[in-house]
Amino acid sequence: MIDMILWENYRNICFMAPFSAPTWPGYTILTACNPASLAVGERRNGRRTRALLRAVTGWEHRFPIQAGDPEMHWQEWSLALACSAEEGHALAARFGQNALYRVEQGQLWLQPVLLDGPAVCLGEIGSFWRQSAMTAPGR
């Protein structure tokens, strides 16, 4: 069963990067921070982020982005990865994530990973993307 407040928070998303949204046909956006939505602190999140980066070393298309609420009061360092839906799901599960974001043909989907429930189309990725400077990952 999905916690509806948590699910609504996941739906209320914004991505920030120093480039426009990738135009790849399909890609996954995920984080290694705060597994199962439990705050673990900046140092542990930094270690988890570095572990995620090691896990995708050698992947051709991977770009760091910030994910957060539209006001960016809450932010998590994330990756946009050109990969199959199955690869993205497996990686998100490996890093203990409740959900991930999947972009297919320009449409942003919120997909459960550790949570049960259906995927939800949120709309065009461009509506959720801001091109702007961001902080360094895995401090």
Side-chain angles (χ1 to χ4, degrees):
M1 184 73 179
I2 292 180
D3 175 331
M4 293 313 290
I5 294 171
L6 179 62
W7 197 244
E8 275 307 307
N9 287 337
Y10 287 154
R11 290 174 59 116
N12 190 31
I13 191 70
C14 180
F15 303 105
M16 185 170 54
F19 49 84
S20 58
T23 57
W24 309 321
Y27 59 97
T28 296
I29 299 172
L30 62 87
T31 185
C33 297
N34 302 318
S37 297
L38 300 174
V40 297
E42 190 173 330
R43 289 185 71 195
R44 187 165 175 206
N45 278 333
R47 286 192 302 271
R48 293 179 60 78
T49 295
R50 289 186 295 278
L52 174 59
L53 285 168
R54 284 191 302 275
V56 298
T57 297
W59 291 31
E60 185 176 353
H61 298 291
R62 58 185 175 93
F63 295 103
I65 64 173
Q66 293 281 49
D69 65 273
E71 294 78 33
M72 287 295 175
H73 296 293
W74 156 84
Q75 299 179 45
E76 288 182 343
W77 188 88
S78 303
L79 276 178
L81 298 164
C83 63
S84 70
E86 294 79 13
E87 289 171 314
H89 191 276
L91 201 54
R94 175 176 166 190
F95 283 90
Q97 297 303 305
N98 282 332
L100 61 78
Y101 297 93
R102 180 78 189 162
V103 179
E104 291 288 343
Q105 304 301 322
Q107 295 295 307
L108 178 65
W109 290 81
L110 174 57
Q111 296 184 338
V113 176
L114 299 181
L115 298 174
D116 292 323
V120 176
C121 183
L122 301 177
E124 291 283 335
I125 183 64
S127 300
F128 298 88
W129 197 277
R130 290 188 203 152
Q131 189 170 345
S132 181
M134 52 185 257
T135 61
R139 291 170 275 160

